[in-house]
Amino acid sequence: MLQHDCRHNIRIVLVNTSHPGNIGGAARAMKNMALDQLYLVQPREFPAPRAVWRAAGATDLLEKAKVVDCVDDAIRDCGLVIGTSARGRRIPWPIINPRDCGTTVWKESICHPVALLFGREDRGLTNDELHKCHYHVCIPSNPQYSSLNLACSVQVIAYEIYVASLERNDLTRDKQNAWDQPIAKNEDLERFHTHLEEAMIDVGFYDPDNPKQLMTRMRRLFNRVRMDEIEVAVFRGLLSAVQRRLKSNIKKCDQ
Ligand code: SAH
């Protein structure tokens, strides 16, 4: 067995899955690759006999799967979120290949929960969901027919994590070299983005009626930076100070 096994920190999140067979197939793929944290965001049909049938011997994963209402509920406490996508999007996002994804997920799972998001069978993940991610991962495939079956894509990504786990059993060293502060969790970042948006509106820098993708660009910037908890707190303190000063100046002008 591996020295530092943090695979309970690795979660596979299936978003709005239509076909219960794919949920079962994903559970089987996960169990083959020794993962067991399955999150289901508003599945269309679950529990379902077809899921059980496709899961074969992995029904234990279905039994303990967590069904949640929205993506945020599945990733709140995660320090790393990776979205899977078969195609490029309008605003390019940091991309990681499946192999590096396996290594990164395995390495970071020692420090915090990590989520891998998988989209709907018919239209993948929404832009909002993809913008919550630090990286996007695309499984290389035939450009003329690039979209894999959902459970098959879970299989490929879970396999890469498993291979990484076999190659990297020296995670104690990673822990020692880790950052001095915990990386900000998704819920801290969501609160930060809301605060940033408010402050940018207050100072007249951002007009929500004419957004021009400003908030998306801000998300992309801060997801690249990977702020730690103290950095988020300092930044939010700065935003609050700007807002306070603005309010007191407005009051002075009114007097
Ligand atoms: N028609 C959809 C594809 C959905 S396939 C679209 O154009 O986005 C369902 C899900 O399987 C995707 O959301 C993604 O999570 C995963 N998937 C399928 N093919 C993939 C690929 N080549 N790389 C990464 N993920 C893939």
Side-chain angles (χ1 to χ4, degrees), residues 84-87 118-122 124 137-139 146-148 153:
T84 55
S85 180
R87 59 194 162 101
F118 292 82
R120 301 148 187 87
E121 290 92 333
D122 55 347
V137 61
C138 179
I139 301 164
S146 61
S147 178
L148 277 74
S153 58

